[in-house]
Amino acid sequence: MKRLVIAGPLPDRDGKSVGGVAEFDLMAAKALAPFFEVIVVTATANPEGDPAFKTECTKGLWQIKARINQLQPDYVLSSLQYSFPVAFAKGGRKLHFVHGFVNAANYPLMKRLVWWILNKLVQKRFDLQVGNSAFTQMINREMLTNPVDQALPLAIQDAYFAPYPQNERDIDVIYVGRIVKSKGIAKIIRALQYLPQGTKMTVVGDGADRKEMEALAQECGVDVTFVGSKPRQEIINYYRRAQVFVSLNAAEPFGLTYIEALTQGCKILCPITGGQVENLLAYRERVEFVSQLTPKAIGAKMTTLLAREVAPVDLQALSTKYSSQAFGRNMSEIIEGVGNAHED
């Protein structure tokens, strides 16, 4: 069996993810374990592991290069800043997974410069780039001159496909994710003023703007409960209690939380642009797209969704595209295709 090293962050053992890429690495490692000997090399302290793969921790990012050289893998899969040390590691076919793109609205000039340097390095030293959506691929290729080769949708953790009872939903609106301005949380909070008094919203997650959002909710006089970061099963339970999931980043590269919310029976409100659109178009009966990101327009769409009756979701159908098994099959073919191309 050929050896695959995944270089990247992992969630920590307390269930507090260090980001969506950490969740991706955990999912990818388990999904690819039937096809390769998988070793995750990470700088995350006290990472969450799994019997399906081996985990090796380094004290810093740049020690990853030396560890990869020692492991002598056939393939290396990396993303974000982890691709810097991977670029200089010896041997093995290298694949860079592209989780998004930088833009002027959310990234300062220096960070955009660093990412431009990384993109050039990846183009020179990696064998293939895979994006998480056609939207991400298009933005990188057409606007950032970064030729991402193909797109492959992400998968969510297997726990989201477990059957669940159709109980009463006591949370009207839910947001799950990082509490940062780019997700449009302030607009969601202001939009609650256009809904009937007593409408309840829950925010699951943490971030730099949490205190500011808590103050805004109090100022607007709306019922918003901030519960902080939670382990995965608790997050699933919150989804199952909620009627409408809302997240409003108009430049979302993929939008993993939309798929999580969809599997747990939530109706969904999202912008009409972003990587989530290509995944949600097939579920128009339970999705509303909003083009004008004003509190009044958002409130009107939330009102529409709260009043709409929908049938339970088909978990089996969703699993054929968004399960880790589906991702593992598709990604393994891509990885082995890189090896076969070089052997030819």
Side-chain angles (χ1 to χ4, degrees):
M1 184 175 280
K2 292 185 177 180
R3 176 173 289 177
L4 167 68
V5 165
I6 297 177
L10 286 172
D12 66 29
R13 290 185 184 275
D14 296 325
K16 296 180 180 179
S17 174
V18 294
V21 177
E23 291 288 343
F24 167 82
D25 289 338
L26 178 62
M27 177 279 298
K30 290 191 286 188
L32 291 166
F35 306 95
F36 305 96
E37 177 197 359
V38 177
I39 303 173
V40 178
V41 181
T42 182
T44 301
N46 194 30
E48 180 181 344
D50 189 274
F53 61 88
K54 298 177 184 177
T55 303
E56 298 202 8
C57 299
T58 65
K59 292 183 179 179
L61 200 62
W62 286 101
Q63 293 181 352
I64 288 173
K65 171 195 167 186
R67 191 67 194 109
I68 291 174
N69 288 344
Q70 293 169 352
L71 290 169
Q72 298 182 328
D74 297 284
Y75 306 103
V76 183
L77 175 65
S78 62
S79 55
L80 300 182
Q81 68 270 25
Y82 278 78
S83 288
F84 275 115
V86 170
F88 297 98
K90 297 177 182 178
R93 301 301 176 193
K94 299 171 185 176
L95 295 92
H96 178 69
F97 203 96
V98 183
H99 290 276
F101 40 84
V102 295
N103 56 64
N106 298 319
Y107 293 87
L109 178 60
M110 186 55 67
K111 196 165 187 177
R112 297 203 305 274
L113 177 61
V114 170
W115 243 242
W116 181 84
I117 293 170
L118 174 61
N119 286 341
K120 294 303 177 185
L121 192 64
V122 166
Q123 291 170 29
K124 185 176 181 180
R125 293 178 174 265
F126 280 66
D127 297 282
L128 193 77
Q129 293 195 71
V130 182
N132 59 8
S133 67
F135 181 71
T136 292
Q137 183 184 25
M138 182 274 294
I139 294 292
N140 275 275
R141 293 184 69 166
E142 304 300 327
M143 299 184 180
L144 302 177
T145 63
N146 181 32
V148 174
D149 298 286
Q150 58 191 94
L152 178 67
L154 302 181
I156 56 178
Q157 300 292 338
D158 293 341
Y160 287 94
F161 295 105
Y164 54 90
Q166 301 298 319
N167 294 329
E168 190 74 21
R169 294 178 179 255
D170 61 337
I171 297 172
D172 298 305
V173 178
I174 192 169
Y175 167 82
V176 177
R178 291 179 300 121
I179 304 179
V180 291
K181 289 183 175 65
S182 63
K183 302 296 184 178
I185 303 170
K187 294 175 181 177
I188 301 169
I189 291 172
R190 291 192 175 96
L192 293 174
Q193 297 175 100
Y194 293 90
L195 274 70
Q197 193 162 2
T199 300
K200 297 178 180 179
M201 177 178 177
T202 295
V203 176
V204 184
D206 220 328
D209 298 326
R210 176 173 175 173
K211 289 185 177 180
E212 183 181 340
M213 294 302 102
E214 288 176 329
L216 177 62
Q218 190 170 10
E219 176 188 323
C220 293
V222 292
D223 188 349
V224 183
T225 302
F226 293 79
V227 300
S229 298
K230 296 293 179 183
R232 187 176 301 113
Q233 189 55 53
E234 287 191 41
I235 293 173
I236 290 173
N237 292 338
Y238 274 110
Y239 278 131
R240 290 175 182 174
R241 291 173 54 194
Q243 292 195 59
V244 177
F245 172 82
V246 188
S247 184
L248 296 176
N249 181 3
E252 189 70 62
F254 179 81
L256 202 63
T257 50
Y258 293 111
I259 307 303
E260 293 175 354
L262 185 65
T263 63
Q264 303 313 299
C266 296
K267 293 168 280 190
I268 293 171
L269 176 59
C270 67
I272 202 166
T273 59
Q276 79 282 353
V277 175
E278 61 202 69
N279 295 302
L280 296 177
L281 282 172
Y283 304 94
R284 289 301 303 269
E285 74 281 359
R286 62 191 320 118
V287 178
E288 284 290 328
F289 298 101
V290 60
S291 57
Q292 292 183 321
L293 296 180
T294 63
K296 188 174 182 180
I298 296 163
K301 292 286 188 179
M302 286 197 288
T303 300
T304 298
L305 284 171
L306 286 168
R308 182 180 298 170
E309 296 290 333
V310 293
V313 293
D314 186 343
L315 285 173
Q316 182 61 39
L318 283 165
S319 70
T320 61
K321 187 172 183 180
Y322 301 110
S323 69
S324 59
Q325 291 83 2
F327 178 88
R329 288 192 301 270
N330 293 328
M331 191 70 206
S332 66
E333 291 177 3
I334 291 171
I335 293 171
E336 290 173 344
V338 172
N340 293 338
H342 283 271
E343 289 174 6
D344 294 342

